[in-house]
Amino acid sequence: MPLYAVEDTVTTEQERLELFLTTRTEESFSLLCASLYSRLIRYFRARSCDQVTAEDLTQDVLFTLYRKAYTIRRPQLFQAWLYKVAHNALLQRLRSARRRIQTVSQSEVRTDAWESIPAQPAGGHDFEEAMAALNVEEREILLLRFADGLDYQEIAATLGIPVGTAKWRVFNSKLKLAAELRRGGRK
Amino acid sequence: MSCLKHGHSAERWIDFLDGRLDPHAADRMNKDIGECSHCRAIYEDLRLSRARLEEWNASLALDPGATEASEARMHRAIMARIRMSQAAAAGQAIAAGVRELRAILEPICGSATTEGAIQSAVRQCNAASIDQLQGSQWEPFVGRLGSTIDAICGAAVALWIREITRGIQWEAGT
């Protein structure tokens, strides 16, 4: 099916996904990709990746989407599926970066710095410090909720946890962030 | 962390802030926040975090994400990876198919005749060698090979060859 034939009628991401899952053509895949590029780039940029790394990882995610689309059993939870793949791609990149650094010099590098996904310094210095004080899980769940805009069901599916646990983690992470922000403000 | 006196759960707090509590439960929360200093402290902390996270998210939205040029670049790279993986998969299917054909034909026609028939079919498909055979050439290749085998070993063997390659045809063609 030529791209121009569907471009005007298939407008939402969900429609594009369903078209791709049904037809599996290059055209329907291209159409779906067009609505995902910016979102994935922002996902990786929000987790402190530079533009080149963000583009590389976006390619990895979309390549996985093409190859593993048959594993999307619930299209309504596509966002969760996509973010899970993106999360795994980022972790794999961080692990391989850590391995590379370890082979260069074990003594000069603080490898624990690579265990965590660093926070984006966009909300001001105190905010950056407060986010950095959270652990990986706390920071990631706040990113999924507030940077990626996922609802709790999607967060739960992305992280493989119950919805109640997702809410509990967001609640605790927000309280911890507030405590860190107040501590920063008192300095 | 929770107010010990009122004991609102994390889920209730989250639903309250997202405006998803029913009016009666929301009124109760509002009352507790107004009257209980501990509940008020929790509420203020949650509001503070939310405000700063939303402010931060607004600054993230200024990131252009992908430009037209970067989208085109990524798209070219992804499609190239997809085509390479498809070619590799088709190549593996073809190699397996040829191995299977040889195993069947050699005991019936002999090694030299089998090899001759295969090479002849490859040439008739305009492929430089058996390794260069593309997924789209598999079906014509099997057709040519079948005709050659028909002439050498008879229609029964040729039919058998076509039957057993049917599954391989589908795999290599995709």
Side-chain angles (χ1 to χ4, degrees):
Chain A
M1 192 186 304
L3 187 59
Y4 59 81
V6 291
E7 209 166 26
D8 293 338
T9 52
V10 182
T11 50
T12 68
E13 186 183 296
Q14 201 61 29
E15 286 172 337
R16 289 176 179 204
L17 172 68
E18 275 159 24
L19 181 69
F20 170 61
L21 293 178
T22 313
T23 63
R24 296 287 177 91
T25 60
E26 281 189 15
E27 286 78 10
S28 62
F29 179 64
S30 303
L31 205 56
L32 177 60
C33 286
S35 57
L36 299 176
Y37 285 125
S38 281
R39 186 135 57 88
L40 285 168
I41 292 278
R42 286 200 189 97
Y43 173 92
F44 292 117
R45 297 277 291 140
R47 286 152 181 85
S48 290
C49 292
D50 59 40
Q51 188 70 22
V52 174
T53 308
E55 286 185 18
D56 272 0
L57 290 167
T58 297
Q59 284 177 38
D60 290 347
V61 173
L62 293 174
F63 182 60
T64 304
L65 169 62
Y66 190 90
R67 286 175 57 239
K68 305 274 185 182
Y70 65 89
T71 64
I72 303 171
R73 292 191 180 85
R74 296 170 68 191
Q76 64 273 29
L77 284 179
F78 172 61
Q79 289 221 70
W81 186 93
L82 188 73
Y83 284 121
K84 194 182 259 185
V85 173
H87 181 71
N88 289 339
L90 181 58
L91 284 184
Q92 203 174 335
R93 179 64 63 106
L94 291 171
R95 282 188 198 121
S96 63
R98 183 177 58 179
R99 274 198 298 273
R100 259 200 317 275
I101 285 170
Q102 280 174 337
T103 57
V104 174
S105 167
Q106 280 194 319
S107 58
E108 289 175 14
V109 179
R110 273 185 63 233
T111 53
D112 60 339
W114 293 90
E115 293 287 354
S116 60
I117 301 165
Q120 172 87 352
H125 189 60
D126 59 338
F127 182 80
E128 177 196 350
E129 285 183 352
M131 283 292 273
L134 306 185
N135 67 33
V136 187
E137 279 184 354
E138 292 162 343
R139 202 156 52 225
E140 182 60 19
I141 206 157
L142 291 181
L143 283 168
L144 288 171
R145 178 77 184 116
F146 291 93
D148 306 321
L150 268 59
D151 63 31
Y152 287 98
Q153 200 187 0
E154 289 168 331
I155 292 173
T158 303
L159 299 177
I161 56 176
V163 175
T165 306
K167 287 181 177 177
W168 182 82
R169 280 196 198 167
V170 169
F171 174 78
N172 278 302
S173 304
K174 283 169 80 176
L175 289 183
K176 193 168 165 187
L177 179 66
E180 292 297 335
L181 285 167
R182 291 190 197 288
R183 190 173 302 150
R186 280 198 297 270
K187 275 181 191 171
Chain B
M1 179 181 162
S2 178
C3 170
L4 291 174
K5 187 177 169 192
H6 297 104
H8 298 302
S9 66
E11 192 161 1
R12 182 175 283 243
W13 275 110
I14 292 288
D15 288 344
F16 173 67
L17 285 170
D18 288 352
R20 282 199 302 263
L21 274 189
D22 64 74
H24 177 72
D27 283 348
R28 203 187 134 200
M29 291 291 286
N30 275 318
K31 185 170 172 287
D32 291 344
I33 291 165
E35 292 172 359
C36 168
S37 61
H38 202 159
C39 285
R40 191 161 52 251
I42 294 172
Y43 175 69
E44 282 171 3
D45 274 1
L46 293 172
R47 289 253 301 172
L48 170 69
S49 292
R50 189 190 183 113
R52 295 301 302 272
L53 283 160
E54 282 174 353
E55 191 183 303
W56 173 67
N57 187 38
S59 72
L60 284 181
L62 298 175
D63 190 315
T67 61
E68 209 171 301
S70 69
E71 274 193 24
R73 193 168 54 238
M74 284 188 284
H75 193 68
R76 274 197 303 275
I78 294 163
M79 296 320 290
R81 279 173 75 176
I82 288 169
R83 289 195 186 106
M84 276 168 65
S85 73
Q86 283 173 336
Q92 282 169 5
I94 288 170
V98 170
R99 272 199 305 276
E100 204 171 325
L101 283 171
R102 279 203 173 102
I104 293 160
L105 289 173
E106 279 178 2
I108 303 168
C109 313
S111 308
T113 306
T114 299
E115 194 55 36
I118 287 174
Q119 293 307 329
S120 165
V122 166
R123 278 195 301 278
Q124 287 179 66
C125 295
N126 298 321
S129 70
I130 190 80
D131 302 331
Q132 304 289 313
L133 213 58
Q134 304 290 308
S136 59
Q137 291 171 310
W138 177 253
E139 209 170 321
F141 167 76
V142 170
R144 304 284 187 194
L145 185 66
S147 304
T148 310
I149 295 297
D150 194 345
I152 300 169
C153 307
V157 180
L159 185 66
W160 188 26
I161 293 300
R162 289 195 181 99
E163 282 295 315
I164 61 163
T165 52
R166 194 168 288 165
I168 304 166
Q169 276 178 15
W170 182 85
E171 246 185 275
T174 51

